[in-house]
Amino acid sequence: GAGVSQSPRYKVAKRGQDVALRCDPISGHVSLFWYQQALGQGPEFLTYFQNEAQLDKSGLPSDRFFAERPEGSVSTLKIQRTQQEDSAVYLCASSFESGTGDSPLHFGNGTRLTVT
Amino acid sequence: GQNIDQPTEMTATEGAIVQINCTYQTSGFNGLFWYQQHAGEAPTFLSYNVLDGLEEKGRFSSFLSRSKGYSYLLLKELQMKDSASYLCAVRERGTYKYIFGTGTRLKVLA
């Protein structure tokens, strides 16, 4: 596809349930990022992949959060035993830059997670 | 670490000019990005400043002053469709993550 695709668009989970959020980056983009965005706030960094390697997971808020990108393309963010404070929009972004140089991020429309 | 501050909300009139500021404290970065985000949508790239000074791109311009620790986004001839949130972001040198400001929600009134 032409852009970054995320699914599902909306997810409602009962507290304690596990959820899996999918991101399909732009083909050929080496770098993939996950961000969490609360209402009225800027995106907060969660984790970064360069191809299949997870090089930075410093933003994951707890060990209930886990991300993978096993073949260096599609990525999944998994949240175990969801809590109400996990309610947010989860944004995925990709870029062609592979190192620590700058390049614009291409974002998906996000998954809005609501934990009840 | 770094802190990036933006005003929470601004209001302006259609046809006017508005300046959205972004101040930061960081030990070093390559360049500063601006993104636009309409409600419920993905942020989209607007501009990138690596050198001090003004970068003009149509109705939108962005300015960077490293010595003063701030940037601004200038929007001219405002249109209703410019109502959105505007985010500034940097990547601290040698790290992988981009840090975003809190975002400024701009309302353009008729």
Side-chain angles (χ1 to χ4, degrees), chain B residues 35-91:
Chain B
Y35 290 84
Q36 179 191 58
Q37 185 177 26
H38 285 99
E41 296 183 13
T44 55
F45 169 71
L46 282 179
S47 69
Y48 176 66
N49 291 68
V50 64
L51 299 175
D52 279 10
L54 191 68
E55 291 277 342
E56 298 191 69
K57 204 191 276 190
R59 292 191 300 114
F60 292 9
S61 303
S62 55
F63 174 86
L64 175 65
S65 169
R66 289 177 187 269
S67 60
K68 293 183 179 169
Y70 88 104
S71 170
Y72 65 74
L73 183 69
L74 194 70
L75 291 75
K76 303 176 194 172
E77 301 165 20
L78 279 174
Q79 301 175 9
M80 301 295 288
K81 67 178 182 181
D82 298 331
S83 293
S85 288
Y86 292 86
L87 301 157
C88 61
V90 300
R91 181 185 235 178

